[in-house]
Amino acid sequence: MNHPHPFELSVPIDASDHVLGEPHAPVELVEFGDFECPNCKQAAPAVKLLLERFPGRIRFAFRHFPLEEVHPHALPAAEVAEIAAAQDKFWPMHDLLFDQQLHLKAANLRSYAERLQLDMTRYAAELDDHIYLQRIREHMQIARHSGVRGTPTFFVNGRLHDVSFGMQRLHDAVSAAASR
């Protein structure tokens, strides 16, 4: 893997990503997030708003960057999101995990899988075998190569945008890119 300029996304959106929006949209927005991170929870509605404000102009991908040292439930939550994705329920699970952010213990995660009517035999087997762990670790590696330090971190058309002071700068960057 070649090392791009730090703060540039080392791997663009591809077929394996969880994506909302148009495939050929002029703006590629990538978030590295953690389901137990309060700022990621706050960012989620702001991203939805961007997608609504610029219909057809944005392609949004969510990638995992669980901060395991700080958030003990972030990695299992990411695994459960991937299990849901394999059953075409990534975005409903994404939303549910953020909605229920204070309740991410194993029993809670299982109840969300049931609520989304996942195949629970498959759920248990895939969770026991940690079959999506490698994929999550790949996201984390891409994040580190791209200069990601915390969550949420956003890239607009491959360039990192600092949202530590709020989402307005991201909105401005997307707005500028969408109107080009």
Side-chain angles (χ1 to χ4, degrees), residues 97-108:
L97 292 170
F98 280 131
D99 288 344
Q100 302 295 327
Q101 188 171 66
L102 301 177
H103 310 283
L104 298 177
K105 293 189 172 78
N108 303 124

Side-chain angles (χ1 to χ4, degrees), residues 43-174:
V47 169
K48 282 217 164 66
L49 210 59
L50 282 173
L51 286 162
E52 284 165 21
R53 264 198 84 168
F54 302 102
R57 309 288 296 160
I58 301 174
R59 189 171 180 220
F60 171 63
F62 182 92
R63 292 177 178 172
H64 303 287
F65 195 65
L67 303 172
E68 299 169 78
E69 308 76 44
V70 208
H71 299 141
H73 307 298
L75 184 60
E79 286 190 83
V80 165
E82 288 300 316
I83 291 168
Q87 300 185 41
D88 295 321
K89 298 272 177 77
F90 176 81
W91 293 107
M93 184 62 83
H94 165 281
D95 294 352
L96 198 46
L97 292 170
F98 280 131
D99 288 344
Q100 302 295 327
Q101 188 171 66
L102 301 177
H103 310 283
L104 298 177
K105 293 189 172 78
N108 303 124
L109 296 175
R110 186 180 171 81
S111 75
Y112 307 149
E114 286 167 348
R115 193 185 307 185
L116 294 179
Q117 298 181 319
L118 298 188
D119 173 335
M120 294 310 292
T121 307
R122 186 174 166 190
Y123 174 91
E126 291 183 347
L127 195 59
D128 286 347
D129 292 340
H130 299 285
I131 71 167
Y132 300 109
L133 194 56
Q134 180 58 35
R135 177 182 167 74
I136 294 162
R137 297 269 181 241
E138 282 166 13
H139 283 186
M140 295 166 76
Q141 192 179 356
I142 292 167
R144 289 193 191 97
H145 279 203
S146 306
V148 174
R149 298 280 168 270
T151 55
T153 296
F154 288 93
F155 289 82
V156 178
N157 288 343
R159 295 198 67 86
L160 190 148
H161 285 267
D162 183 8
V163 292
S164 50
F165 302 106
M167 295 294 286
Q168 187 59 45
R169 283 175 65 179
L170 183 71
H171 181 279
D172 295 346
V174 167

